[in-house]
Amino acid sequence: TTSHPPLQIMVLDGTWKKVKTMLKHLTKRVLHGLPAIPHVKLSPEVLSVYARTQTQADRICTIEALALFLSECGESEAATQTLVRYVQVNDACRLKSASRQAGAGAASASATPAGPP
């Protein structure tokens, strides 16, 4: 049997604009003169579970993209779904924290004296 080297992937995380800048920097400064980095185009079939609004319906967050890529490479559904569940847990924690902060802000505003009568 022929042995293949392990697959190595690089995942850039950030907004679309920031990732584009990182890739441009990586290509010009770090990999100058080396072969181009192959890109993978993913086609998600479900909407993102990430709580932030995506600018387009087919956009997904980095972890979801990694899960989709790993699925395409033959990783088990259980492993990829675990990654997606981490996104859902993160969303729930962020929403809970935002709710607490909003409640604390309202409580401190009502406790502040209104000024002289």
Side-chain angles (χ1 to χ4, degrees), residues 7-104:
L7 179 65
Q8 297 179 355
I9 62 171
M10 179 185 306
V11 179
L12 301 179
D13 183 34
T15 63
W16 286 90
K17 184 177 179 179
K18 288 181 182 180
V19 167
K20 199 173 186 180
T21 302
M22 285 189 276
L23 185 59
K24 185 177 178 180
H25 174 79
L26 182 68
T27 303
K28 284 178 85 174
R29 312 255 175 169
V30 179
L31 301 173
H32 183 69
L34 295 175
I37 300 172
H39 293 73
V40 176
K41 179 172 174 52
L42 301 171
S43 299
E45 296 177 2
V46 296
L47 294 178
S48 176
V49 299
Y50 190 43
R52 292 191 184 173
T53 304
Q54 300 294 347
T55 57
Q56 295 178 8
D58 64 343
R59 300 260 169 111
I60 56 178
C61 74
T62 305
I63 296 297
E64 291 171 310
L66 182 58
L68 181 56
F69 176 77
L70 291 172
S71 176
E72 292 290 324
C73 290
E75 187 61 61
S76 72
E77 185 174 347
T80 59
Q81 287 305 310
T82 297
L83 288 173
V84 174
R85 275 195 297 281
Y86 284 124
V87 174
Q88 294 168 320
V89 168
N90 180 62
D91 287 345
C93 290
R94 275 195 13 250
L95 292 173
K96 190 174 183 180
S97 176
S99 176
R100 260 190 257 129
Q101 288 175 354

